[in-house]
Amino acid sequence: MTSAASSLTIDAPVCRYVELDSFTDTLPAQVLSDEERARAESLRFPVDRQRFVAAHVALRQALCAYTGLAPAALTLATGAFGKPSLAGHPRTQFSLSHSQGLALIAIGGRGPLGADVELLRPMPDAATLAAAHFTQREQDALAALPAHERDHAFLTCWTRKEACLKAIGVGLLMSSQSFEVGVVPDCRSVELPVAGRTLVLVLGPAPARADSVGSLAEWRHTEARVQASGGGFEGGPMRPLNALQGMAEARCAGGIA
């Protein structure tokens, strides 16, 4: 592998999908934290509670397998902006996302990870959402596509934005129009301007599925910016896609878990 190719790889040896509606627990729901159980109970519909619990139990199973720790030894801490981490194991990076009955889990040992997944579905308001959350070049690229390709391209761009925000852990506090990810599932380096610095991430697709779109991002390093130009937390925040559509909350990882 060339150094250029290596620089665009994401260290996520664990990267898997979980079918939440058919998930069979091997860990009791009691292994979840008080906060996780409270969040599950706050969900209005039983199916959403079941999927939330299944996703978080599946994450703990994956972390146990990756670290060799017993379930009781896993303690998930939450950062200032809601990004979870494994207490006492700073080199174990992970991210969890779910969209309705499908979850995506990524675990690695290098830089902070962000994962995001969305089920493929018609997006009649894609142009409106893109105008609010995508860069002008991303909007133009989306509009230039044949109509039958736009839903997939929109969700590709959306999950790529979300994966980057989850990797850096600021979630809703940063404008999604302040950085460019594109509408195709390529591998690339992405620069995010935050508080006078440039955060450099590697971005790429999750394993392909016919029914969904998934993206992964890994925060590699931070560079000082010669001249800060209002980047970082300016502009409108990127609101959860499913909330905008009046659907159940489906963001469950990285910045919001």
Side-chain angles (χ1 to χ4, degrees), residues 6-141:
S6 176
S7 69
L8 291 178
T9 62
I10 296 173
D11 180 34
V14 176
C15 185
R16 69 180 63 155
Y17 294 99
V18 181
E19 301 286 349
L20 300 176
D21 293 338
S22 58
F23 179 74
T24 301
D25 298 358
T26 59
L27 296 177
Q30 286 74 17
V31 302
L32 302 184
S33 67
D34 291 342
E35 179 186 2
E36 288 170 312
R37 291 197 293 272
R39 289 187 62 187
E41 288 302 317
S42 72
L43 297 174
R44 179 179 179 184
F45 298 106
V47 66
D48 295 329
R49 292 195 292 272
Q50 181 274 325
R51 287 169 173 171
F52 181 94
V53 170
H56 284 250
V57 170
L59 171 63
R60 288 173 182 270
Q61 287 179 341
L63 286 171
C64 287
Y66 180 81
T67 62
L69 294 171
L74 292 179
T75 301
L76 300 188
T78 302
F81 300 109
K83 183 174 175 61
S85 61
L86 184 58
H89 297 267
R91 297 190 65 178
T92 297
Q93 307 289 339
F94 65 91
S95 188
L96 165 68
S97 175
H98 72 83
S99 178
Q100 300 181 47
L102 181 67
L104 173 62
I105 294 170
I107 305 175
R110 186 166 54 191
L113 292 171
D116 196 66
V117 65
E118 290 286 349
L119 288 176
L120 280 174
R121 57 193 182 276
M123 298 296 302
D125 53 353
T128 301
L129 291 171
H133 301 296
F134 294 177
T135 66
Q136 188 60 56
R137 185 155 52 181
E138 290 164 344
Q139 294 175 55
D140 293 343

Side-chain angles (χ1 to χ4, degrees), residues 61-242:
Q61 287 179 341
L63 286 171
C64 287
Y66 180 81
T67 62
L69 294 171
L74 292 179
T75 301
L76 300 188
T78 302
F81 300 109
K83 183 174 175 61
S85 61
L86 184 58
H89 297 267
R91 297 190 65 178
T92 297
Q93 307 289 339
F94 65 91
S95 188
L96 165 68
S97 175
H98 72 83
S99 178
Q100 300 181 47
L102 181 67
L104 173 62
I105 294 170
I107 305 175
R110 186 166 54 191
L113 292 171
D116 196 66
V117 65
E118 290 286 349
L119 288 176
L120 280 174
R121 57 193 182 276
M123 298 296 302
D125 53 353
T128 301
L129 291 171
H133 301 296
F134 294 177
T135 66
Q136 188 60 56
R137 185 155 52 181
E138 290 164 344
Q139 294 175 55
D140 293 343
L142 187 66
L145 291 172
H148 69 278
E149 296 180 12
R150 288 178 196 155
D151 291 344
H152 191 285
F154 172 84
L155 292 171
T156 295
C157 190
W158 185 277
T159 60
R160 287 162 73 83
K161 298 269 189 185
E162 285 277 318
C164 288
L165 293 173
K166 291 174 179 179
I168 66 173
V170 299
L172 304 178
L173 296 179
M174 182 176 181
S175 170
S176 59
Q177 292 181 314
S178 65
F179 61 100
E180 186 110 359
V181 299
V183 300
V184 297
D186 60 6
C187 293
R188 66 169 70 182
S189 177
V190 177
E191 296 184 352
L192 278 68
V194 177
R197 299 179 183 274
T198 298
L199 312 187
V200 180
L201 288 76
V202 175
L203 174 65
R209 284 177 61 111
D211 63 348
S212 62
V213 177
S215 297
L216 299 174
E218 182 185 11
W219 181 2
R220 286 295 187 82
H221 62 275
T222 302
E223 300 174 352
R225 296 169 66 197
V226 176
Q227 180 179 1
S229 56
F233 300 112
E234 82 287 1
M238 185 175 186
R239 296 171 58 198
L241 177 60
N242 286 349

